[in-house]
Amino acid sequence: MRCTTLPERSAACRARLHDIVPSCLEGRIAALSGLVVDIDGLSGHVSVGDRLLLAARDGHGVPAEIVGFRHGLAQAMPFGSLDGLGPGGAAAFHPHPLGEPNGGTLPVSNDWLGRVLDPLGRPLDRHGPLPAGPHLRRVRAAPPDATRRARLGPRLDVGIRAFNCFATCRRGQRLGLFSGSGIGKSSLLAMLARQTACDVAVLALVGERGREVREFLEDDLGEAGLAHSVVVVATSDLPPLMRRQAAFAAMTVAEHFRDQGKSVLLLMDSITRFCLALREIGLSTGEPPATRGYPPSVFAELPRLLERAGPGLDAPDGAIGHITALFSVLVEGDDHNEPVADAVRGILDGHIVLDRRIAEGGRYPAIDVLRSLSRAVPGCNAPEENALSRRARALLALYADMADMVRLGAYRAGGDPAVDEAVALAPRIDALLRQDRDERTGIEDSFALLRAILDPP
């Protein structure tokens, strides 16, 4: 329909001008309080998750993200230092040409294997720029459709006897590693990265001590482990937005390889520091504290991250990819019922508990098999293997109950055949659980060793 009158032409021009997407919108920093920057002039044009570039006084740009709105102002948090930012500074926003949210993306490539990067996809290993993949992946993606996801895959050989015998893991399963500080958690994660029978390993070091990063990469992980891994690092001195982004970036990299039908092992250390970063963000934007100072958004964000791991969508050709994920949880004061640990335990498919007393006794990995559980065990092991595990657990539990009496001499041999058997076999089972970090034992061999202890020829 042609516009003939002047009012019709004016209306048509206004409609076309409205459809034009500006190449850049610019607001101004109105205030800065704590970790939050208030920006004027962008409230009607940006949404939560959009990226900005804040201009510092010395001319350099500080990337930031919109985290909320208040009193007509947009609230942003920077990915870098606040030094140099002040009222009146420019805040540049580049709208997406299709009107989509301008959130973070990563150009993940298969050539990222063997590389170490930060949460924004910048290399940290001094091996040159990261090659870009053909497609950009959204960092804040939704989990796969629950009704179209594949089932858990076959059991996964992680090379650790305590895992293989007492907490057998399946492809696509999600486990929590619950541990206090200084119990050998990092060494156990490195063993899993090196020894697990997977195609790709993705490691996320969230809030890690800067001094330990290089030691972990060179000593614990080693060249062989790094060769088939992608490592995302955000040290404890970085802003909370970077620490939060590290978890999402690692999950995005894992999803890239899973969508190719590969078996991916995702190791995240730690989910607790991810939640601490979320707490800093929530409190800074004015969210009220709830359970032990954690705002409600922390417990809403947790399942959005954890549910992204697991099996991919059913594929017609049967080439289904899986993300087998292990999230470490730092239990404060060895309290396994603190809020983060309790929430994570309810979402995941099992939990592995590291015990300080076992570590103090010199047995590594310090896995407490009586408190560890894999919910996928009944469906992946043979009935005979399940029977061996149950019998070994019963012997260890009985020995733990009677250990003090045996040491004090209050129990005499022959008083109870079950106790006699536990006293004889529990130390041998404990020795089976002891394993050097460079030692690997497959699933079949692990059960064969346990069978030789419980049912000797």
Side-chain angles (χ1 to χ4, degrees), residues 397-442:
L398 181 58
Y399 181 77
D401 290 339
M402 299 296 297
D404 290 339
M405 294 184 65
V406 172
R407 292 190 189 99
L408 294 173
Y411 174 80
R412 294 183 179 276
D416 186 334
V419 175
D420 291 342
E421 184 182 30
V423 171
L425 298 183
R428 297 181 60 189
I429 299 174
D430 189 75
L432 173 70
L433 301 177
R434 188 187 307 268
Q435 188 169 343
D436 293 335
R437 64 180 186 178
D438 295 324
E439 182 184 0
R440 188 185 192 283
T441 308

Side-chain angles (χ1 to χ4, degrees), residues 27 45 62 70 124 126 129 159-160 231 261 274 279 283 291 309 318 336 350-351 356 362 453:
H45 306 281
V62 180
R70 178 180 293 179
L124 296 176
R126 302 186 302 277
I160 300 174
V231 184
F274 168 75
R279 181 170 70 177
L283 296 178
T291 310
H336 289 260
H351 49 272
R356 189 173 301 277
I453 294 174

Side-chain angles (χ1 to χ4, degrees), residues 351-435:
H351 49 272
I352 307 299
V353 178
L354 298 187
D355 189 89
R356 189 173 301 277
R357 290 174 300 175
I358 295 176
E360 290 171 349
R363 197 256 280 170
Y364 290 97
I367 298 175
D368 187 343
V369 297
L370 296 179
R371 299 167 63 193
S372 300
L373 171 70
S374 170
R375 294 189 176 97
V377 162
C380 66
N381 289 336
E384 179 201 1
E385 294 171 337
N386 288 330
L388 284 173
S389 297
R390 287 194 298 268
R391 184 182 169 195
R393 283 179 181 272
L395 291 172
L396 291 174
L398 181 58
Y399 181 77
D401 290 339
M402 299 296 297
D404 290 339
M405 294 184 65
V406 172
R407 292 190 189 99
L408 294 173
Y411 174 80
R412 294 183 179 276
D416 186 334
V419 175
D420 291 342
E421 184 182 30
V423 171
L425 298 183
R428 297 181 60 189
I429 299 174
D430 189 75
L432 173 70
L433 301 177
R434 188 187 307 268
Q435 188 169 343

Side-chain angles (χ1 to χ4, degrees), residues 37 53 73 75 86 92 143 318 379 410 420:
V37 180
L53 190 65
L73 300 176
Q75 294 182 305
D420 291 342

Side-chain angles (χ1 to χ4, degrees), residues 199-215:
D199 299 321
V200 177
V202 179
L203 289 84
L205 304 181
V206 182
E208 190 63 67
R209 303 177 187 90
R211 176 190 61 81
E212 295 182 349
V213 171
R214 187 172 176 183
E215 294 179 2

